[in-house]
Amino acid sequence: MHRVGSAGNTAGSTRPRKEKRFTYVLNDADDKKHCAGINCLAYQNGSAFGTSDYLFSGSRDGTLKRWELNNGDASFSATFESHVDWVNDAIIVGQKVVSCSSDTTLKVWNCFSDGACTKTLRQHSDYVICLAAAEKNSNIVASGGLGGEVFIWDLDAALAPIAKSVDSKEDEVPNGNSGPALTTLCNVNSSSNIASSNGQSHGYNPITAKGHKDSVYALAMNDTGTLLVSGGTEKVVRVWDPRTGSKNMKLRGHTDNIRALLLDSTGRYCLSGSSDSMIRLWDLGQQRCVHSYAVHTDSVWALASTPSFAHVYSGGRDQSVYLTDLSTRESVLLCTNEHPVLQLSLQDDTIWVATTDSSVYGWPAEGRTPQKVFQKGGSFLAGNLSFSRARASLEGSAPVPVYKEPSLVIPGVPAIIQHEIMNNRRHVLTKDTAGSVKLWEITRGAVIEDFGKVSFEDKKKELFEMVSIPAWFTMDARLGCLSVHLDTPQCFSAEIYAVDLNVTGAQEDLKINLAQETLRGLLVHWTKRKQKSSSHSLSNGDSSTGKDAPLKDLSHPRSEVDDGTENHATHVLPSFEFSTVSPPSIITEGSSGGPWRKRITDLDGTEGDLPWWCVDCVTHNRYPKENTKCGFYLHPAEGSPAPNITQGKLSAPRILRIHKVANYVVEKLVLDKPLDGGSDSTFAMGLTSGQSQLSALDSSSRLGLKPWQKLKPCVEILCNNQVLSPEMSLATVRTYIWKKPEDLILHYRVVQSR
């Protein structure tokens, strides 16, 4: 057996690894559109099924979308969401669509479903880049990827165990791949996309085509599934028998990576596109290259042929789509795009173009009668040397495109390409491909301000705040939108005063843990539905106590915002309420080793493989209490007549404001004069072994003192000879004023009352 099972298995053994990560993806307000480059397109002719024609698009945002094509128009029909990384390729196989992703999986979906995944196939150990299928045998699919792995799947065999894997639905599944039955199944176990019935565990292993030493970028198969061609970084086209995985031949000629392959229906002719900018036509019977076409000025990344294999459409890094007559070598520039072309799909008289942009473009193609395009003029003869086109374009004889405007555009939203986490650790500044700069509040997943097209750096400086909050999350914009990653215990390190979030009726010293409240907001739908189906106990063993146990009975009763009732988990503060119109998606590793992705509003409470620490935090209010204290010394300022009121180190929450320290000093000076400042260790400060726990500072009303604004303090607190703003926190002072690893030293002095 191939070495591959490892990709899925490592996550199953949780002990040696750190805890599972919890990620949430902030989707754009218009979630009917892609928000990153389109890697692949697949056209579904609906005539055989009595449906509309559909176009499927797979994106770097991790989703596939289905578009209904009617009378020259395309309307959004469904989102297929389960992959957790770029979707790299997708193919139609009968009534199924198969997709592959950089998350190392293939996923099988019913073309006509509402977007639920029916099966996840795990065998690859690295990114899966390309797929191929046999037109007349809707059962055979080949997949290729990084690491030189090529697998040939028998879909019936791979899907068959599904019926056995969900006992409760066995009666409803007469055969493993009927459309409606699969959809029914999805809903049963969709949380892990039926990950438990993964390939290896049920004894099914795909055929392995061994021979590639390096990455595979392109695959193609003939109609009957008796011939498979592959290409990649080895610059050769390999030919295989997919029924056995055995090598037939190797075709040499390209001088750079092979990025696109096509086979004619009989399997005699093969077209290849390469990063050497050439298209080559191979006769597999003669095992040689019979034509080479120099039409592009840069890498060729996409090929699509007419049904008769007489003409080829090609696109690539030079942002151009050419139409070439394979026999006469006549070529014409069909259109130019604003971005590199990643894939092409021919539908009758429209050529669908996928680019690194988030929109899909439909251009006129005359697919039935390509000669009509040549009649419009502007054609040239394709050279047979790679530099001939580059030289021609340098000499200024660049061809003029036949079509200036696409006939149809399926618009996407601009991808986020730059982001900066603001110092308050709740706001993130982003810039997208259109140049728009926006400010997001990630604790509720919303854009709070759209600044339009302004300088990102200038706006970043303008929004700078001198505050210090621990880095409780990490993030990236790999999917074209913001992905926020939470890892325990670090994510629980950030606290904030409730009054700073404008929580109504909150006491002045009430603290809120940002990660806990964010998790509550994200999992509120899961919690509510779980409580409804309370007969299901948590699958994590350690949390098997009733989820509705009142908080006061739990061993960790400290809760920042709950009222001690059973409903604490479903009580969400306004600052942590996520949209239900365009809800974020969560990504986490499934219990069987495969990660999954789901909208928070689609969580049904049966997902047993959420990270246990998230469940513990949301349902039981338990989370690791990170050290949120800051140690410091408090001395009279140089030259100040004020007495020394403390001995030893004080300790207080990092978020404690300087005005509380000033209040403390006032308090000590007023109340402790008889003590000469010598023995403050008994002064209700909770002193332990010479370390004053300044927790009393958290409550300025403890001794009937008014808050600092009303008190008009006559004490100034200094650090490094700099007078501190009363609103600064100890953490901020330490980061921006003190700037040393040693314990903070603060000074106080009495000033004339204002």
Side-chain angles (χ1 to χ4, degrees), residues 548-585:
D548 296 339
L551 274 173
K552 50 184 174 288
D553 298 342
L554 296 169
S555 54
H556 295 267
R558 189 176 83 93
S559 166
E560 308 304 6
V561 289
D562 80 82
D563 48 6
T565 67
E566 299 181 5
N567 295 326
H568 77 283
T570 55
H571 170 69
V572 177
L573 293 171
S575 302
F576 301 91
E577 283 179 349
F578 289 87
S579 163
T580 52
V581 180
S582 54
S585 305

Side-chain angles (χ1 to χ4, degrees), residues 362-409:
W363 290 85
E366 302 291 354
R368 296 188 186 94
T369 49
Q371 53 275 18
K372 282 186 184 173
V373 180
F374 293 105
Q375 288 163 11
K376 294 177 187 290
S379 63
F380 59 93
L381 276 181
N384 52 15
L385 296 170
S386 60
F387 55 81
S388 54
R389 279 291 297 119
R391 180 185 290 168
S393 65
L394 280 174
E395 291 166 356
S397 59
V400 177
V402 174
Y403 300 107
K404 304 288 188 290
E405 295 291 329
S407 48
L408 188 60
V409 178

Side-chain angles (χ1 to χ4, degrees), residues 211-234:
H212 275 284
K213 300 176 186 69
D214 228 322
S215 299
V216 178
Y217 286 141
L219 291 170
M221 214 184 291
N222 67 340
D223 274 8
T224 51
T226 56
L227 209 59
L228 174 71
V229 289
S230 63
T233 49
E234 295 165 55

Side-chain angles (χ1 to χ4, degrees), residues 43-45 92-94 132-140 221-226 263-265:
Y43 169 66
Q44 163 88 307
N45 187 325
I92 307 289
V93 188
E135 188 82 19
K136 290 178 181 163
N137 182 349
S138 62
N139 201 28
I140 305 299
M221 214 184 291
N222 67 340
D223 274 8
T224 51
T226 56
L263 272 177
D264 77 332
S265 55

Side-chain angles (χ1 to χ4, degrees), residues 23 154 162 166 177 218 244 264 287 304 354 373 397 405 430 446 488 551 622 627 630 679 704-705:
T23 296
D154 177 328
I162 249 185
V166 185
N177 65 341
T244 58
D264 77 332
Q287 299 194 16
V373 180
S397 59
E405 295 291 329
T430 63
T488 186
L551 274 173
R622 290 192 293 245
N627 178 22
C630 173
S679 52
L705 290 166

